[in-house]
Amino acid sequence: MTPILQLRNVTRYFGSGRDRVTAVDSISLDIEPGEIVCLVGESGCGKSTTGRMIVGLLPPSDGQILYQGQDISAMDKPDYQQYRRAVQIIHQDPYASLNPTQTVRQMIMTPLLRHQSQRSAQNGSGGGRRSRRRDVERRAAELLEIVDLTPVAEFLDKYPHQLSGGQRQRVSVARALTVEPKFIVADEAVSMVDVSIRVSLLNMLSRLKEEFDVTFLFITHDLALAKYFAWEGRITVMYLGRIVEEGPTPRLITDSRHPYTQALLGAVPEADPELAKKKTHIELRSAEIPSLLNLPAGCTFHPRCPYIAEGECDTVVPPLERISEGGSVACPVRMSEPTQII
Amino acid sequence: MSQSTDLSWHQNVEENGRQPPLSLQDVHVSYRTRKGSVQAVRGVTLDLQAGESLALIGESGSGKTTLGLGIVRLLVDTAEVSPGKIIYRRDGREVDVLSLADGPMREFRWRDCAMVFQSALNAFNPVLKVWDQVWDTAKAHRWNNREEVRERFLDLLRFVQLDPSRVIDAYAHELSGGMRQRTLLAISLLLDPQILILDEPTTALDILTQRTIIDLLRKLKEDLHFTMLFISHDLAIAAELADRVATMYAGQVVELGPVEDIFYRPRHPYSLGLIRAVPTVTGGFEELSSIPGSPPDLINLPTGCKFHPRCPYASERCSSEEPKLERVGDNHFAACWHTDAVQDDIERNGLRGKKRS
């Protein structure tokens, strides 16, 4: 099967000259239809930049992004429009991503009307304006039901400020669904929502995957959430613009190989006092993350890595290599050392 | 360092009794708004024991930050703290913080009770270097020996594992988030306060930075036996750092107990709901479940138990009668009519969700 989305050596710079920052440094990633992939990393690792490039909000500086096998930068207009519809993003902040002057009804119906008029223009079928509007209203109600904003009538005429954070995020999801996407990038989509509500949002997103065959790229800094959401999928760990490890979620969580992944897993605070005491923490050689303006040579993690092999790690950029347990690791020194955090 | 403070002290009756340094007695806080009065904190009674770390956990709107700010009286003008008492004790004497005049109140803050705020960047003056702010603080508390202050601050910076030469002449924006948070912690310890209040000390920090802060706070707790009050929405912070946990919902403490009791033997449905909603990283996959509904409107609170509209165990009694905190174990209290049902549920279904391999 053709992967729904492929990144080939995608790089993104910001600024120029001495101020040039490499946010994403030659990453490659294939995502199959129906897969769930989590992109995990700390702030500044390039995960959001990657997400924005995938949905076409930001062009790559170098490399290619392929949607259904086609390079998006070489698409003709209809293909490009179809790609932009098929690949949607849900932003982190539901307070900023919704127009405060529009009601839920307007936010959902505008794209539906536009989408429908485009489609009927293509098919040549007209249908009365009024009946079209009725169809759209019905569809809007359906979408709100899908995202559990029920009873629908109660929500249609609300403005964003009248909704809670969780409800707003549901509106964002419903809005993304108006164009029947095949691929959704969820960029920290639940991180601003209270814990008691997070799970129901995640479960709702999982349901979309099942019911609508949506492929997900879930971007988060929270490994526990990544584990929960992508247990049947894959996790990709980024550090300073590069992928350092990726693999099936159970393997990556229980038998991580890259020292950075291990450091992250060990560092995550656990909501369980016994577990918190038992966990081994990897002692890093430095607590400070290097500046993107002045990246270390070789493996960018080497100044902090406790397993550094001098002369190797500080000169050669380690390639991502496959391991037999599943996935790949960019650390020749530690890739064959099974490690458990507990 | 321990210059005497100038509070209007009352001699404590039980001078030799080991009294907690901070006692909240039936504290209420409300905010005046055009729509009505927002009942942010409703009758919190809590003792903070010497040397213990207590975590206040709850979601946004539960009143935890309001309570923290209320203790150091930094609430906005529209807030009213009444009725209630906030009793502070030091050296066998005690005072009601709410009755302090402006001058003594300024003394109380920082020297007796320091607060580390949630947003470290906003806590700094952007146009002053770190050292200038430290010196300002010291002077405001009439500590005028520049050399001494500098010496003390350098020690503190080393304690929080920062390179003093990198920090002392820097502006806040020149420091990373983690460095800023650690600097703030160092400044909060400058006057050797008896109590430290930390509002979401690790929120918005990256995982590895979070870990350094948590380890640092643990050092404060285990080596120096600092008396600390943590305010956090993050259960993990409580699990990592607290001796006791108070769960807050709709402005009240609904469960209070030793950390193991709250995490392994919760008796309030809301505490149990939170535990079942939060994933752990290590270990296998566990099913999670969320708490239905959303937090209540604090202007028009539900009748009876404020959690009853979201509670799976709710009965008729819950919608009419509000439960008070009752003892459910050694030092363990819960405000719920159905603590037995919660216990049953845990025994039947396990504490956390089903495991998947």
PDB file of all heavy atoms in Angstrom, chain A residues 42-43 194 196 199-200 221 227-228 232 265 267 269-272 274 288, chain B residues 59-60 182 206-207 211 264 277 280-282 284 290-291 310 352 356:
ATOM      1  N   GLU A  42      10.418  17.509  23.404  1.00  0.00           N
ATOM      2  CA  GLU A  42      10.296  18.696  24.238  1.00  0.00           C
ATOM      3  C   GLU A  42      10.136  19.930  23.357  1.00  0.00           C
ATOM      4  O   GLU A  42      10.282  19.862  22.144  1.00  0.00           O
ATOM      5  CB  GLU A  42      11.531  18.827  25.129  1.00  0.00           C
ATOM      6  CG  GLU A  42      11.684  17.653  26.064  1.00  0.00           C
ATOM      7  CD  GLU A  42      12.902  17.822  26.944  1.00  0.00           C
ATOM      8  OE1 GLU A  42      14.014  17.503  26.493  1.00  0.00           O
ATOM      9  OE2 GLU A  42      12.730  18.285  28.068  1.00  0.00           O
ATOM     10  N   SER A  43       9.894  21.086  23.985  1.00  0.00           N
ATOM     11  CA  SER A  43       9.710  22.280  23.176  1.00  0.00           C
ATOM     12  C   SER A  43      11.000  22.553  22.401  1.00  0.00           C
ATOM     13  O   SER A  43      12.101  22.363  22.906  1.00  0.00           O
ATOM     14  CB  SER A  43       9.315  23.471  24.036  1.00  0.00           C
ATOM     15  OG  SER A  43      10.100  23.542  25.178  1.00  0.00           O
ATOM     16  N   ASP A 194      -8.594  20.156  31.028  1.00  0.00           N
ATOM     17  CA  ASP A 194      -8.473  19.547  32.350  1.00  0.00           C
ATOM     18  C   ASP A 194      -8.377  18.026  32.277  1.00  0.00           C
ATOM     19  O   ASP A 194      -8.961  17.401  31.399  1.00  0.00           O
ATOM     20  CB  ASP A 194      -9.688  19.924  33.207  1.00  0.00           C
ATOM     21  CG  ASP A 194      -9.416  21.172  34.014  1.00  0.00           C
ATOM     22  OD1 ASP A 194      -8.250  21.362  34.414  1.00  0.00           O
ATOM     23  OD2 ASP A 194     -10.353  21.941  34.230  1.00  0.00           O
ATOM     24  N   SER A 196      -9.700  15.585  33.843  1.00  0.00           N
ATOM     25  CA  SER A 196     -10.884  14.735  33.899  1.00  0.00           C
ATOM     26  C   SER A 196     -11.575  14.672  32.542  1.00  0.00           C
ATOM     27  O   SER A 196     -12.384  13.793  32.286  1.00  0.00           O
ATOM     28  CB  SER A 196     -11.851  15.232  34.969  1.00  0.00           C
ATOM     29  OG  SER A 196     -12.471  16.417  34.559  1.00  0.00           O
ATOM     30  N   VAL A 199      -9.409  12.450  28.737  1.00  0.00           N
ATOM     31  CA  VAL A 199      -9.592  11.087  28.273  1.00  0.00           C
ATOM     32  C   VAL A 199     -10.781  10.981  27.327  1.00  0.00           C
ATOM     33  O   VAL A 199     -10.717  10.294  26.315  1.00  0.00           O
ATOM     34  CB  VAL A 199      -9.784  10.141  29.466  1.00  0.00           C
ATOM     35  CG1 VAL A 199      -9.948   8.727  28.987  1.00  0.00           C
ATOM     36  CG2 VAL A 199      -8.606  10.243  30.391  1.00  0.00           C
ATOM     37  N   SER A 200     -11.869  11.704  27.643  1.00  0.00           N
ATOM     38  CA  SER A 200     -13.032  11.583  26.777  1.00  0.00           C
ATOM     39  C   SER A 200     -12.725  12.189  25.409  1.00  0.00           C
ATOM     40  O   SER A 200     -13.213  11.710  24.386  1.00  0.00           O
ATOM     41  CB  SER A 200     -14.261  12.214  27.411  1.00  0.00           C
ATOM     42  OG  SER A 200     -14.069  13.577  27.600  1.00  0.00           O
ATOM     43  N   HIS A 221       3.958  16.521  23.998  1.00  0.00           N
ATOM     44  CA  HIS A 221       5.171  16.451  24.818  1.00  0.00           C
ATOM     45  C   HIS A 221       4.965  15.416  25.927  1.00  0.00           C
ATOM     46  O   HIS A 221       5.872  15.121  26.671  1.00  0.00           O
ATOM     47  CB  HIS A 221       5.481  17.814  25.420  1.00  0.00           C
ATOM     48  CG  HIS A 221       4.472  18.217  26.457  1.00  0.00           C
ATOM     49  ND1 HIS A 221       3.233  18.713  26.122  1.00  0.00           N
ATOM     50  CD2 HIS A 221       4.496  18.141  27.800  1.00  0.00           C
ATOM     51  CE1 HIS A 221       2.551  18.929  27.221  1.00  0.00           C
ATOM     52  NE2 HIS A 221       3.273  18.592  28.263  1.00  0.00           N
ATOM     53  N   LYS A 227       1.495   7.238  24.922  1.00  0.00           N
ATOM     54  CA  LYS A 227       1.367   5.800  25.142  1.00  0.00           C
ATOM     55  C   LYS A 227      -0.102   5.385  25.091  1.00  0.00           C
ATOM     56  O   LYS A 227      -0.457   4.409  24.451  1.00  0.00           O
ATOM     57  CB  LYS A 227       1.967   5.445  26.500  1.00  0.00           C
ATOM     58  CG  LYS A 227       1.669   4.024  26.944  1.00  0.00           C
ATOM     59  CD  LYS A 227       2.109   3.788  28.369  1.00  0.00           C
ATOM     60  CE  LYS A 227       1.085   2.930  29.076  1.00  0.00           C
ATOM     61  NZ  LYS A 227       1.375   2.783  30.494  1.00  0.00           N
ATOM     62  N   TYR A 228      -0.939   6.155  25.764  1.00  0.00           N
ATOM     63  CA  TYR A 228      -2.350   5.789  25.819  1.00  0.00           C
ATOM     64  C   TYR A 228      -2.995   5.855  24.447  1.00  0.00           C
ATOM     65  O   TYR A 228      -3.709   4.954  24.031  1.00  0.00           O
ATOM     66  CB  TYR A 228      -3.082   6.713  26.792  1.00  0.00           C
ATOM     67  CG  TYR A 228      -4.547   6.393  26.909  1.00  0.00           C
ATOM     68  CD1 TYR A 228      -4.958   5.255  27.587  1.00  0.00           C
ATOM     69  CD2 TYR A 228      -5.508   7.206  26.331  1.00  0.00           C
ATOM     70  CE1 TYR A 228      -6.302   4.938  27.684  1.00  0.00           C
ATOM     71  CE2 TYR A 228      -6.852   6.892  26.418  1.00  0.00           C
ATOM     72  CZ  TYR A 228      -7.244   5.760  27.099  1.00  0.00           C
ATOM     73  OH  TYR A 228      -8.569   5.446  27.190  1.00  0.00           O
ATOM     74  N   GLU A 232      -1.607   1.095  19.942  1.00  0.00           N
ATOM     75  CA  GLU A 232      -1.592   0.212  18.777  1.00  0.00           C
ATOM     76  C   GLU A 232      -0.861   0.823  17.594  1.00  0.00           C
ATOM     77  O   GLU A 232      -0.874   0.272  16.502  1.00  0.00           O
ATOM     78  CB  GLU A 232      -3.023  -0.166  18.394  1.00  0.00           C
ATOM     79  CG  GLU A 232      -3.476  -1.385  19.164  1.00  0.00           C
ATOM     80  CD  GLU A 232      -4.923  -1.304  19.607  1.00  0.00           C
ATOM     81  OE1 GLU A 232      -5.682  -0.515  19.026  1.00  0.00           O
ATOM     82  OE2 GLU A 232      -5.283  -2.030  20.543  1.00  0.00           O
ATOM     83  N   LEU A 265      11.616   8.982  29.498  1.00  0.00           N
ATOM     84  CA  LEU A 265      10.742   8.025  30.183  1.00  0.00           C
ATOM     85  C   LEU A 265      11.017   8.004  31.678  1.00  0.00           C
ATOM     86  O   LEU A 265      10.094   7.930  32.493  1.00  0.00           O
ATOM     87  CB  LEU A 265      10.942   6.620  29.598  1.00  0.00           C
ATOM     88  CG  LEU A 265      10.321   6.380  28.230  1.00  0.00           C
ATOM     89  CD1 LEU A 265      10.830   5.081  27.636  1.00  0.00           C
ATOM     90  CD2 LEU A 265       8.807   6.339  28.349  1.00  0.00           C
ATOM     91  N   ALA A 267      12.213  10.453  33.408  1.00  0.00           N
ATOM     92  CA  ALA A 267      11.969  11.752  34.042  1.00  0.00           C
ATOM     93  C   ALA A 267      10.495  12.054  34.235  1.00  0.00           C
ATOM     94  O   ALA A 267      10.127  12.832  35.113  1.00  0.00           O
ATOM     95  CB  ALA A 267      12.605  12.858  33.206  1.00  0.00           C
ATOM     96  N   PRO A 269       7.129  12.496  35.577  1.00  0.00           N
ATOM     97  CA  PRO A 269       6.569  12.238  36.905  1.00  0.00           C
ATOM     98  C   PRO A 269       5.377  11.297  36.794  1.00  0.00           C
ATOM     99  O   PRO A 269       4.593  11.400  35.863  1.00  0.00           O
ATOM    100  CB  PRO A 269       6.128  13.623  37.405  1.00  0.00           C
ATOM    101  CG  PRO A 269       6.310  14.562  36.291  1.00  0.00           C
ATOM    102  CD  PRO A 269       6.960  13.877  35.142  1.00  0.00           C
ATOM    103  N   GLU A 270       5.279  10.364  37.718  1.00  0.00           N
ATOM    104  CA  GLU A 270       4.202   9.379  37.659  1.00  0.00           C
ATOM    105  C   GLU A 270       3.149   9.668  38.709  1.00  0.00           C
ATOM    106  O   GLU A 270       3.471   9.966  39.854  1.00  0.00           O
ATOM    107  CB  GLU A 270       4.768   7.976  37.922  1.00  0.00           C
ATOM    108  CG  GLU A 270       5.770   7.507  36.882  1.00  0.00           C
ATOM    109  CD  GLU A 270       5.106   6.942  35.627  1.00  0.00           C
ATOM    110  OE1 GLU A 270       3.884   7.108  35.461  1.00  0.00           O
ATOM    111  OE2 GLU A 270       5.835   6.344  34.817  1.00  0.00           O
ATOM    112  N   ALA A 271       1.887   9.508  38.314  1.00  0.00           N
ATOM    113  CA  ALA A 271       0.793   9.761  39.249  1.00  0.00           C
ATOM    114  C   ALA A 271       0.562   8.538  40.131  1.00  0.00           C
ATOM    115  O   ALA A 271      -0.551   8.051  40.270  1.00  0.00           O
ATOM    116  CB  ALA A 271      -0.471  10.124  38.478  1.00  0.00           C
ATOM    117  N   ASP A 272       1.624   8.020  40.701  1.00  0.00           N
ATOM    118  CA  ASP A 272       1.556   6.844  41.542  1.00  0.00           C
ATOM    119  C   ASP A 272       2.773   6.886  42.463  1.00  0.00           C
ATOM    120  O   ASP A 272       3.907   6.745  42.002  1.00  0.00           O
ATOM    121  CB  ASP A 272       1.584   5.597  40.638  1.00  0.00           C
ATOM    122  CG  ASP A 272       1.485   4.299  41.430  1.00  0.00           C
ATOM    123  OD1 ASP A 272       2.023   4.241  42.551  1.00  0.00           O
ATOM    124  OD2 ASP A 272       0.900   3.335  40.903  1.00  0.00           O
ATOM    125  N   GLU A 274       4.294   4.933  44.618  1.00  0.00           N
ATOM    126  CA  GLU A 274       5.242   3.822  44.637  1.00  0.00           C
ATOM    127  C   GLU A 274       6.089   3.813  43.372  1.00  0.00           C
ATOM    128  O   GLU A 274       7.306   3.668  43.414  1.00  0.00           O
ATOM    129  CB  GLU A 274       4.495   2.486  44.746  1.00  0.00           C
ATOM    130  CG  GLU A 274       3.815   2.264  46.083  1.00  0.00           C
ATOM    131  CD  GLU A 274       4.825   2.190  47.224  1.00  0.00           C
ATOM    132  OE1 GLU A 274       5.903   1.614  47.014  1.00  0.00           O
ATOM    133  OE2 GLU A 274       4.529   2.735  48.308  1.00  0.00           O
ATOM    134  N   GLU A 288      20.965  21.525  30.784  1.00  0.00           N
ATOM    135  CA  GLU A 288      20.553  22.560  29.836  1.00  0.00           C
ATOM    136  C   GLU A 288      20.487  22.025  28.417  1.00  0.00           C
ATOM    137  O   GLU A 288      21.374  21.315  27.958  1.00  0.00           O
ATOM    138  CB  GLU A 288      21.526  23.746  29.900  1.00  0.00           C
ATOM    139  CG  GLU A 288      21.419  24.536  31.189  1.00  0.00           C
ATOM    140  CD  GLU A 288      19.987  24.965  31.521  1.00  0.00           C
ATOM    141  OE1 GLU A 288      19.256  25.387  30.612  1.00  0.00           O
ATOM    142  OE2 GLU A 288      19.619  24.877  32.707  1.00  0.00           O
TER     143      GLU A 288
ATOM    144  N   GLU B  59      -8.873  20.598  39.610  1.00  0.00           N
ATOM    145  CA  GLU B  59      -8.843  21.124  38.254  1.00  0.00           C
ATOM    146  C   GLU B  59      -8.988  22.630  38.276  1.00  0.00           C
ATOM    147  O   GLU B  59      -9.153  23.239  39.318  1.00  0.00           O
ATOM    148  CB  GLU B  59      -9.989  20.498  37.461  1.00  0.00           C
ATOM    149  CG  GLU B  59      -9.829  19.011  37.333  1.00  0.00           C
ATOM    150  CD  GLU B  59     -11.005  18.407  36.612  1.00  0.00           C
ATOM    151  OE1 GLU B  59     -12.030  18.151  37.257  1.00  0.00           O
ATOM    152  OE2 GLU B  59     -10.892  18.208  35.411  1.00  0.00           O
ATOM    153  N   SER B  60      -8.959  23.228  37.066  1.00  0.00           N
ATOM    154  CA  SER B  60      -9.114  24.674  37.027  1.00  0.00           C
ATOM    155  C   SER B  60     -10.480  25.030  37.606  1.00  0.00           C
ATOM    156  O   SER B  60     -11.464  24.340  37.364  1.00  0.00           O
ATOM    157  CB  SER B  60      -8.961  25.198  35.609  1.00  0.00           C
ATOM    158  OG  SER B  60      -9.581  24.349  34.691  1.00  0.00           O
ATOM    159  N   ARG B 182      14.202  27.931  38.718  1.00  0.00           N
ATOM    160  CA  ARG B 182      15.140  27.659  39.800  1.00  0.00           C
ATOM    161  C   ARG B 182      15.613  28.946  40.462  1.00  0.00           C
ATOM    162  O   ARG B 182      15.777  29.012  41.675  1.00  0.00           O
ATOM    163  CB  ARG B 182      16.327  26.845  39.265  1.00  0.00           C
ATOM    164  CG  ARG B 182      16.012  25.366  39.210  1.00  0.00           C
ATOM    165  CD  ARG B 182      17.170  24.564  38.726  1.00  0.00           C
ATOM    166  NE  ARG B 182      17.282  24.651  37.264  1.00  0.00           N
ATOM    167  CZ  ARG B 182      18.334  24.228  36.571  1.00  0.00           C
ATOM    168  NH1 ARG B 182      19.369  23.733  37.201  1.00  0.00           N
ATOM    169  NH2 ARG B 182      18.343  24.308  35.263  1.00  0.00           N
ATOM    170  N   ASP B 206       9.524  21.723  30.321  1.00  0.00           N
ATOM    171  CA  ASP B 206       9.765  20.470  29.610  1.00  0.00           C
ATOM    172  C   ASP B 206      10.055  19.344  30.589  1.00  0.00           C
ATOM    173  O   ASP B 206      10.450  19.578  31.727  1.00  0.00           O
ATOM    174  CB  ASP B 206      10.934  20.640  28.655  1.00  0.00           C
ATOM    175  CG  ASP B 206      10.457  21.185  27.327  1.00  0.00           C
ATOM    176  OD1 ASP B 206       9.380  20.757  26.884  1.00  0.00           O
ATOM    177  OD2 ASP B 206      11.148  22.027  26.755  1.00  0.00           O
ATOM    178  N   ILE B 207       9.904  18.107  30.097  1.00  0.00           N
ATOM    179  CA  ILE B 207       9.989  16.951  30.992  1.00  0.00           C
ATOM    180  C   ILE B 207      11.306  16.882  31.764  1.00  0.00           C
ATOM    181  O   ILE B 207      11.315  16.716  32.984  1.00  0.00           O
ATOM    182  CB  ILE B 207       9.796  15.639  30.202  1.00  0.00           C
ATOM    183  CG1 ILE B 207       8.431  15.650  29.525  1.00  0.00           C
ATOM    184  CG2 ILE B 207       9.890  14.431  31.120  1.00  0.00           C
ATOM    185  CD1 ILE B 207       8.247  14.532  28.513  1.00  0.00           C
ATOM    186  N   ARG B 211      11.923  17.424  35.788  1.00  0.00           N
ATOM    187  CA  ARG B 211      12.583  16.460  36.663  1.00  0.00           C
ATOM    188  C   ARG B 211      13.599  17.160  37.562  1.00  0.00           C
ATOM    189  O   ARG B 211      13.672  16.885  38.747  1.00  0.00           O
ATOM    190  CB  ARG B 211      13.227  15.367  35.804  1.00  0.00           C
ATOM    191  CG  ARG B 211      14.076  14.354  36.535  1.00  0.00           C
ATOM    192  CD  ARG B 211      13.406  13.722  37.751  1.00  0.00           C
ATOM    193  NE  ARG B 211      12.158  13.075  37.458  1.00  0.00           N
ATOM    194  CZ  ARG B 211      11.301  12.653  38.384  1.00  0.00           C
ATOM    195  NH1 ARG B 211      11.571  12.782  39.666  1.00  0.00           N
ATOM    196  NH2 ARG B 211      10.166  12.101  38.035  1.00  0.00           N
ATOM    197  N   TYR B 264      -4.003   5.180  46.734  1.00  0.00           N
ATOM    198  CA  TYR B 264      -4.323   3.754  46.697  1.00  0.00           C
ATOM    199  C   TYR B 264      -5.658   3.412  47.356  1.00  0.00           C
ATOM    200  O   TYR B 264      -6.212   2.354  47.117  1.00  0.00           O
ATOM    201  CB  TYR B 264      -3.193   2.940  47.347  1.00  0.00           C
ATOM    202  CG  TYR B 264      -1.862   3.151  46.659  1.00  0.00           C
ATOM    203  CD1 TYR B 264      -0.732   3.495  47.388  1.00  0.00           C
ATOM    204  CD2 TYR B 264      -1.751   3.028  45.267  1.00  0.00           C
ATOM    205  CE1 TYR B 264       0.487   3.706  46.748  1.00  0.00           C
ATOM    206  CE2 TYR B 264      -0.549   3.237  44.626  1.00  0.00           C
ATOM    207  CZ  TYR B 264       0.567   3.575  45.364  1.00  0.00           C
ATOM    208  OH  TYR B 264       1.750   3.792  44.734  1.00  0.00           O
ATOM    209  N   ALA B 277      -8.381   8.750  35.473  1.00  0.00           N
ATOM    210  CA  ALA B 277      -8.305   9.525  34.226  1.00  0.00           C
ATOM    211  C   ALA B 277      -6.873   9.791  33.798  1.00  0.00           C
ATOM    212  O   ALA B 277      -6.632  10.287  32.706  1.00  0.00           O
ATOM    213  CB  ALA B 277      -9.044  10.858  34.394  1.00  0.00           C
ATOM    214  N   THR B 280      -0.279   6.414  33.333  1.00  0.00           N
ATOM    215  CA  THR B 280       1.117   6.376  33.756  1.00  0.00           C
ATOM    216  C   THR B 280       1.950   5.983  32.535  1.00  0.00           C
ATOM    217  O   THR B 280       1.436   5.436  31.579  1.00  0.00           O
ATOM    218  CB  THR B 280       1.344   5.333  34.860  1.00  0.00           C
ATOM    219  OG1 THR B 280       0.836   4.085  34.402  1.00  0.00           O
ATOM    220  CG2 THR B 280       0.646   5.718  36.142  1.00  0.00           C
ATOM    221  N   VAL B 281       3.244   6.282  32.595  1.00  0.00           N
ATOM    222  CA  VAL B 281       4.078   5.985  31.440  1.00  0.00           C
ATOM    223  C   VAL B 281       4.602   4.566  31.505  1.00  0.00           C
ATOM    224  O   VAL B 281       4.519   3.803  30.551  1.00  0.00           O
ATOM    225  CB  VAL B 281       5.272   6.951  31.369  1.00  0.00           C
ATOM    226  CG1 VAL B 281       6.173   6.563  30.206  1.00  0.00           C
ATOM    227  CG2 VAL B 281       4.782   8.356  31.186  1.00  0.00           C
ATOM    228  N   THR B 282       5.160   4.212  32.663  1.00  0.00           N
ATOM    229  CA  THR B 282       5.734   2.890  32.786  1.00  0.00           C
ATOM    230  C   THR B 282       4.624   1.880  33.041  1.00  0.00           C
ATOM    231  O   THR B 282       3.540   2.232  33.488  1.00  0.00           O
ATOM    232  CB  THR B 282       6.752   2.862  33.931  1.00  0.00           C
ATOM    233  OG1 THR B 282       6.358   3.815  34.895  1.00  0.00           O
ATOM    234  CG2 THR B 282       8.115   3.214  33.433  1.00  0.00           C
ATOM    235  N   GLY B 284       2.191  -1.491  31.663  1.00  0.00           N
ATOM    236  CA  GLY B 284       1.421  -1.782  30.464  1.00  0.00           C
ATOM    237  C   GLY B 284       0.351  -0.749  30.200  1.00  0.00           C
ATOM    238  O   GLY B 284       0.298   0.309  30.814  1.00  0.00           O
ATOM    239  N   SER B 290     -12.955   8.980  31.833  1.00  0.00           N
ATOM    240  CA  SER B 290     -12.996  10.381  32.249  1.00  0.00           C
ATOM    241  C   SER B 290     -14.203  10.604  33.142  1.00  0.00           C
ATOM    242  O   SER B 290     -15.102   9.770  33.229  1.00  0.00           O
ATOM    243  CB  SER B 290     -13.057  11.293  31.040  1.00  0.00           C
ATOM    244  OG  SER B 290     -14.193  10.988  30.287  1.00  0.00           O
ATOM    245  N   ILE B 291     -14.187  11.735  33.818  1.00  0.00           N
ATOM    246  CA  ILE B 291     -15.329  12.096  34.657  1.00  0.00           C
ATOM    247  C   ILE B 291     -16.332  12.799  33.752  1.00  0.00           C
ATOM    248  O   ILE B 291     -15.972  13.746  33.071  1.00  0.00           O
ATOM    249  CB  ILE B 291     -14.868  13.041  35.794  1.00  0.00           C
ATOM    250  CG1 ILE B 291     -13.760  12.360  36.607  1.00  0.00           C
ATOM    251  CG2 ILE B 291     -16.045  13.425  36.668  1.00  0.00           C
ATOM    252  CD1 ILE B 291     -13.144  13.265  37.654  1.00  0.00           C
ATOM    253  N   ARG B 310     -21.997  15.018  38.532  1.00  0.00           N
ATOM    254  CA  ARG B 310     -21.019  14.261  37.744  1.00  0.00           C
ATOM    255  C   ARG B 310     -20.704  12.913  38.376  1.00  0.00           C
ATOM    256  O   ARG B 310     -19.868  12.170  37.877  1.00  0.00           O
ATOM    257  CB  ARG B 310     -19.715  15.065  37.645  1.00  0.00           C
ATOM    258  CG  ARG B 310     -19.876  16.448  37.062  1.00  0.00           C
ATOM    259  CD  ARG B 310     -18.572  17.216  37.101  1.00  0.00           C
ATOM    260  NE  ARG B 310     -17.608  16.737  36.117  1.00  0.00           N
ATOM    261  CZ  ARG B 310     -16.348  17.151  36.050  1.00  0.00           C
ATOM    262  NH1 ARG B 310     -15.906  18.056  36.914  1.00  0.00           N
ATOM    263  NH2 ARG B 310     -15.533  16.682  35.146  1.00  0.00           N
ATOM    264  N   ARG B 352      -7.299   1.105  39.191  1.00  0.00           N
ATOM    265  CA  ARG B 352      -7.182   1.675  37.862  1.00  0.00           C
ATOM    266  C   ARG B 352      -7.893   0.792  36.856  1.00  0.00           C
ATOM    267  O   ARG B 352      -8.386  -0.277  37.189  1.00  0.00           O
ATOM    268  CB  ARG B 352      -5.707   1.832  37.480  1.00  0.00           C
ATOM    269  CG  ARG B 352      -5.035   2.919  38.267  1.00  0.00           C
ATOM    270  CD  ARG B 352      -3.545   2.835  38.132  1.00  0.00           C
ATOM    271  NE  ARG B 352      -2.884   3.753  39.036  1.00  0.00           N
ATOM    272  CZ  ARG B 352      -2.622   5.023  38.754  1.00  0.00           C
ATOM    273  NH1 ARG B 352      -2.924   5.504  37.588  1.00  0.00           N
ATOM    274  NH2 ARG B 352      -2.042   5.803  39.640  1.00  0.00           N
ATOM    275  N   ARG B 356      -4.074  -4.032  29.502  1.00  0.00           N
ATOM    276  CA  ARG B 356      -3.972  -4.724  28.231  1.00  0.00           C
ATOM    277  C   ARG B 356      -2.498  -5.013  28.055  1.00  0.00           C
ATOM    278  O   ARG B 356      -1.662  -4.199  28.412  1.00  0.00           O
ATOM    279  CB  ARG B 356      -4.456  -3.802  27.114  1.00  0.00           C
ATOM    280  CG  ARG B 356      -5.414  -4.459  26.164  1.00  0.00           C
ATOM    281  CD  ARG B 356      -5.620  -3.618  24.941  1.00  0.00           C
ATOM    282  NE  ARG B 356      -6.547  -2.505  25.135  1.00  0.00           N
ATOM    283  CZ  ARG B 356      -6.665  -1.502  24.244  1.00  0.00           C
ATOM    284  NH1 ARG B 356      -5.894  -1.467  23.176  1.00  0.00           N
ATOM    285  NH2 ARG B 356      -7.509  -0.537  24.449  1.00  0.00           N
TER     286      ARG B 356
END
